[in-house]
Amino acid sequence: MTTLAAQLPSTAKAPYEARVLIREELSEAIPATTLWDVLTVVTELVTNAVRHGSGGTVRIKLSVAVSGKVSGEVENDGPARVELQPIDVKSTSGL
């Protein structure tokens, strides 16, 4: 298993810094098409953590299993909880 764990300052540069780390640490372990998907999802999550969260740090944890399965977490220091919402296919915001 390949893992990446990092703490980034909660600034506008955090999404970019997360992408750089992921490319440096995981590009050998993830096929290019999967890497693109991981970069897209993590960018969105880190952006949301910076924009909507509180605290000075964003934490990223990613794991790539031998099977190729990628799992991960993005956290900030805010007290809010994630609430799943129904998918609105007509929405123009977020993924």
Side-chain angles (χ1 to χ4, degrees), residues 8 17 23-24 32 36 39 45 59 61 65 67 77 85 94:
L8 303 171
E17 292 169 352
R23 284 188 190 108
E24 287 175 354
W36 179 261
L39 291 169
L45 293 173
R59 289 175 297 285
K61 298 176 190 174
S67 66
D77 296 322
Q85 301 292 321

Side-chain angles (χ1 to χ4, degrees), residues 32-89:
T33 54
T34 304
L35 180 62
W36 179 261
D37 292 340
V38 169
L39 291 169
T40 301
V41 170
V42 171
T43 296
E44 178 76 8
L45 293 173
V46 171
T47 298
N48 287 345
V50 170
R51 183 177 293 160
H52 303 294
S54 59
T57 304
V58 175
R59 289 175 297 285
I60 301 168
K61 298 176 190 174
L62 295 172
S63 298
V64 182
V66 175
S67 66
K69 178 182 173 182
V70 179
S71 59
E73 302 173 17
V74 175
E75 298 178 323
N76 63 18
D77 296 322
R81 295 178 53 98
V82 174
E83 294 182 22
L84 296 177
Q85 301 292 321
I87 295 174
D88 180 359
V89 295

